[in-house]
Amino acid sequence: MHHELILILDFGSQYTQLIARRVREQGVYCEIVPFHYALEKILEKNPKGVILSGGPNSVYEADAPQVAEDFYAQINAPVLGICYGMQLLAKDLRGAVSPSEKREYGRAKLKILIGETVMFEGLPRSLDVWMSHGDHVTRLPAGFRTTATTGDVITAIENAERRIFGLQFHPEVAHTPLGKEILRNFLFEICRCRGDWTARQFIAEEVEKIRCLVGETDNVVCGLSGGVDSTVAAVLVHEAIGIRQTCVFVNNGLLRSDEYEDTLKLYKEKLHLNVRGVDASHEFYAVLKGIADPELKRKAIGRKFIEVFDAEAKKIGGVKYLVQGTLYPDVIESVSLRGSSVTIKSHHNVGGLPEKMNLKLIEPLRELFKDEVRLIGKDLNIPDEITQRHPFPGPGLAVRILGDITEEKVKLLQKVDRLYIEELRRFKLYTKVWQAFAVLLPIQSVGVMGDFRTYEKTVALRAVTSTDGMTADWARLPHDFLQAISSRITSEIRGVNRVVYDISSKPPSTIEWE
Ligand code: XMP
C-alpha cells in the first residue's frame, strides 16, 4: 500500500530528524533524503509536500548545498523551507539574503502580519519561536509576501499561488510551543494530507511483507538483547511466521542483575516466542581476562558474541534470514557537511554477523524512530517493562566497569545498579530519564565506618535526559533521591564506601564512560 509521503531534503541541520518525528507524530509518513537526492527520484516518489531543512551553511558560500536547478519549476507539491531552506529558496527565486549583524539565536517573538495566511491559521497574532541563524532574507522574490516578522527581520514568507513557503524559525523544536500547529497547517491545509500513518496499520503491513518475503518454508533467526528494538522486531516477525523464527538470547555475563533469567521467562511465557537461551558468561569472562582498554573490550565481546550466536544458529538448520532491530536513524544517509566523522566508540554489537553467516537481513524497524518503536511495541502488547526499558549497550556492564573485568566486579556492580534502578522506580523517576546506570571506578578511597577506617571502592551514578542519545544532559535528580540512594548503597553493599553523581553532558562527555 502507498502512504502519503512528505519528503525532507536534509541540508545538515541538527534538527532534521526532529522535523521528521514531528511530521510523523501527526500521522503522516515522511522520509529524509540528502539535499543532492536526484530530482527525478524526488518526483518519482510523488510526495504530498517537500520540506527543505535548516543547515549550518550560508547560502552565498561557494560550496553551499543546493537543490537541483529546476527543482522549483518541476516540483508538483507544496514546498516549505525552514531556516537555511527559506534562505535558499529566497535566493534561488531571485530575492536577496544578507548576513545579520548579529547571529540571532534563541527565543524571539513572532508577529504575524497577515491573518488570513493558511500557514498561521488558528494561531494568535504574536507567539514565541526559536531562531538559530546568521543570515536573513532582505528582499522578497517576485510574487512573495511577508507573513510574519521578528523585530524588523522578515521571518515568514509565502507565495500561496505557487505553494512555496518559508519559515526562518524552527517550528519543530519544543521552544516553539505552537510549532506543532504550524506544521499541522502545512501538512493538512496546504499539502492536503489525510494522515494515514498509524501503528496498527504499520504492523499489519509489515507482517504481510515479512510473510511474503520469507515464504512458506524458510527459517529465520533473531538475536534478542532484552531491549525494546530487538524484542519488537522479533514479535513482529513472530506474528508473521510464528515458530519458524528461532530467537537466541545470549547471556554474556554482563547483563543487569537477574536480567537474563527474568527476560528469558518473559520471552517464553508472556510473548510466546520460540527462544533459546545460551548462558555463555564464562566464555565472555575468559576472553575479557586482563583487558582494560575500552575498544579492545568492545571488540573482544563483539567477536565472542558472533561465535556463540553462529554456533547456536547452525543447530537450527534451513536458516536464510537474520532479524535485526535496526532503526531509522542508523540508515538515514547522513549529510556530511563538516567532514567525515571519526569513530568515537565501535558500537555495532553484531557488526559482520550477516556476512559471516551468509544470511539475508530482515529489518522491520528500519523506517522507525525509537519512540515509534515503543508505540508499536505497546500495540503488540509487549509489557511496559520492555517498551519503557532504558537503552542498554551491547557490551553491557563491561563498559561500566573501568579497567579489567572480573566476575566479582560484575557481581558488585550488578548489586549497586539494582538498588539504583529500584530507587529510581520507587521515586517515580525511572521513566523521566533517558537512561540511568552505575559505573564502577578503578579506585579506592578512605572512609570511616563506626570506629574503623575503610579503604574501598567508589561508584559513580549517571542519569541523563536525551531524545536520541546523540546529545544528552545530566538529569537534575532531586537531592532527596540522591541522598536516599547514596545511603542505601554504602550501607547495604560491602566494598563501596563512596558514591558520586556524574554531572557531565554529552558533548563533551559521552553517555557511557567507555
Ligand atoms: P555514548 O556512550 O556513545 O552512548 O554516548 C550513546 C547511546 O548508545 C548506547 N551505547 C551502545 N549501544 N552498543 C549499543 O547497542 C554499544 O556498543 C553501545 N555503546 C553505547 C549508550 O548506552 C547510549 O544510550
Side-chain angles (χ1 to χ4, degrees):
M1 167 179 162
H2 268 311
H3 287 288
E4 298 169 334
L5 170 72
I6 294 289
L7 207 57
I8 300 174
L9 299 195
D10 182 17
F11 290 89
S13 163
Q14 55 172 327
Y15 296 132
T16 304
Q17 291 195 22
L18 206 51
I19 305 176
R21 286 169 53 194
R22 295 286 103 87
V23 171
R24 290 188 184 187
E25 269 166 23
Q26 314 235 18
V28 178
Y29 180 65
C30 74
E31 284 178 11
I32 299 172
V33 294
F35 66 89
H36 47 71
Y37 199 70
L39 182 57
E40 308 84 72
K41 289 210 265 175
I42 296 178
L43 298 174
E44 240 168 63
K45 284 182 175 276
N46 195 22
K48 297 279 284 183
V50 178
I51 297 177
L52 313 179
S53 84
N57 297 74
S58 186
V59 287
Y60 288 119
E61 278 169 22
D63 50 0
Q66 306 286 343
V67 290
E69 209 169 293
D70 39 0
F71 172 80
Y72 305 96
Q74 300 246 4
I75 195 81
N76 184 24
V79 175
L80 169 62
I82 294 177
C83 196
Y84 179 85
M86 157 158 156
Q87 292 150 18
L88 184 69
L89 69 86
K91 183 209 78 169
D92 288 347
L93 299 170
R94 294 168 197 278
V97 175
S98 313
S100 300
E101 274 162 30
K102 63 177 176 33
R103 206 178 151 80
E104 199 170 357
Y105 186 83
R107 272 174 229 276
K109 255 299 175 240
L110 183 78
K111 197 162 136 231
I112 296 174
L113 302 180
I114 302 172
E116 67 271 25
T117 171
V118 178
M119 190 63 106
F120 298 126
E121 206 168 273
L123 293 167
R125 279 308 182 90
S126 161
L127 50 124
D128 290 329
V129 295
W130 183 257
M131 298 279 240
S132 123
H133 70 100
D135 299 350
H136 62 266
V137 173
T138 44
R139 192 183 69 237
L140 295 180
F144 274 73
R145 58 181 186 167
T146 304
T147 52
T149 53
T150 54
D152 51 9
V153 176
I154 298 177
T155 313
I157 60 172
E158 68 177 41
N159 181 335
E161 211 169 297
R162 289 186 68 183
R163 301 191 297 170
I164 300 179
F165 302 80
L167 300 175
Q168 180 60 67
F169 61 91
H170 289 278
E172 68 277 18
V173 304
H175 297 301
T176 302
L178 293 174
K180 191 171 168 186
E181 279 68 22
I182 298 171
L183 282 175
R184 186 185 297 151
N185 284 340
F186 177 69
L187 298 173
F188 294 97
E189 304 302 327
I190 296 170
C191 301
R192 304 249 164 232
C193 293
R194 293 185 314 276
D196 60 3
W197 170 254
T198 62
R200 184 136 309 163
Q201 210 185 340
F202 172 85
I203 294 169
E205 287 169 24
E206 209 51 43
V207 165
E208 194 48 41
K209 258 196 246 167
I210 298 166
R211 228 176 246 150
C212 291
L213 178 74
V214 179
E216 299 293 322
T217 51
D218 289 340
N219 288 334
V220 169
V221 64
C222 172
L224 287 172
S225 71
V228 54
D229 306 341
S230 64
T231 308
V232 172
V235 172
L236 266 174
V237 175
H238 187 80
E239 294 270 309
I241 58 162
I243 58 160
R244 278 195 288 138
Q245 168 184 242
T246 305
C247 300
V248 178
F249 182 32
V250 176
N251 185 5
N252 57 11
L254 303 161
L255 301 174
R256 291 192 140 117
S257 161
D258 295 333
E259 182 151 338
Y260 176 65
E261 295 76 12
D262 293 351
T263 313
L264 194 57
K265 191 157 174 242
L266 185 149
Y267 283 146
K268 286 184 178 162
E269 294 175 11
K270 284 211 178 129
L271 298 175
H272 310 292
L273 293 171
N274 168 18
V275 57
R276 301 179 179 192
V278 184
D279 188 351
S281 307
H282 288 98
E283 290 184 46
F284 282 85
Y285 296 149
V287 295
L288 282 169
K289 197 162 180 224
I291 303 182
D293 177 84
E295 276 303 288
L296 294 181
K297 281 191 210 172
R298 281 171 175 273
K299 297 229 160 78
I301 294 167
R303 270 196 307 269
K304 190 75 206 165
F305 179 84
I306 292 182
E307 194 187 308
V308 172
F309 189 85
D310 189 33
E312 199 57 35
K314 286 218 170 82
K315 297 181 194 159
I316 302 166
V319 175
K320 291 247 173 75
Y321 295 92
L322 173 73
V323 180
Q324 280 192 341
T326 317
L327 301 190
Y328 194 46
D330 306 325
V331 297
I332 298 173
E333 196 183 323
S334 62
V335 172
S336 172
L337 297 171
R338 297 191 186 90
S340 58
S341 58
V342 291
T343 303
I344 312 271
K345 297 176 184 181
S346 48
H347 255 208
H348 303 286
N349 315 327
V350 292
L353 196 55
E355 295 82 2
K356 176 171 164 55
M357 298 172 68
N358 196 19
L359 296 175
K360 288 185 228 154
L361 281 179
I362 299 181
E363 299 175 305
L365 312 179
R366 58 182 284 127
E367 289 171 352
L368 303 182
F369 291 107
K370 189 110 189 165
D371 35 8
E372 294 174 315
V373 175
R374 292 201 161 108
L375 287 176
I376 304 278
K378 224 176 165 47
D379 241 69
L380 287 166
N381 293 322
I382 297 174
D384 283 357
E385 57 179 293
I386 297 243
T387 56
Q388 299 306 321
R389 195 171 273 185
H390 290 168
F392 187 73
L397 299 182
V399 292
R400 296 175 179 173
I401 295 171
L402 274 55
D404 69 321
I405 312 290
T406 62
E407 191 171 354
E408 293 66 42
K409 289 185 191 172
V410 171
K411 295 270 164 351
L412 181 68
L413 183 59
Q414 279 176 334
K415 283 191 209 153
V416 175
D417 182 77
R418 182 191 192 114
L419 290 189
Y420 186 33
I421 300 296
E422 239 174 61
E423 285 297 300
L424 279 167
R425 289 195 197 277
R426 198 165 69 83
F427 277 71
K428 306 223 172 331
L429 292 166
Y430 182 82
T431 51
K432 296 221 164 69
V433 298
W434 164 265
Q435 203 170 4
F437 53 89
V439 183
L440 185 63
L441 305 186
I443 52 164
Q444 284 171 283
S445 75
V446 175
V448 53
M449 191 166 292
D451 293 330
F452 295 99
R453 173 189 189 275
T454 59
Y455 187 56
E456 289 172 337
K457 293 228 153 61
T458 301
V459 293
L461 303 181
R462 180 120 167 97
V464 296
T465 53
S466 176
T467 49
D468 50 14
M470 302 294 286
T471 60
D473 198 3
W474 59 277
R476 272 47 169 184
L477 295 180
H479 290 176
D480 289 353
F481 168 79
L482 292 171
Q483 160 61 38
I485 183 60
S486 161
S487 33
R488 270 199 82 182
I489 292 172
T490 45
S491 62
E492 292 177 36
I493 295 175
R494 285 183 76 180
V496 177
N497 67 354
R498 194 174 294 272
V499 177
V500 297
Y501 186 58
D502 182 350
I503 54 166
S504 331
S505 58
K506 172 183 179 178
S509 301
T510 51
I511 296 179
E512 305 290 345
W513 278 43
E514 286 194 339

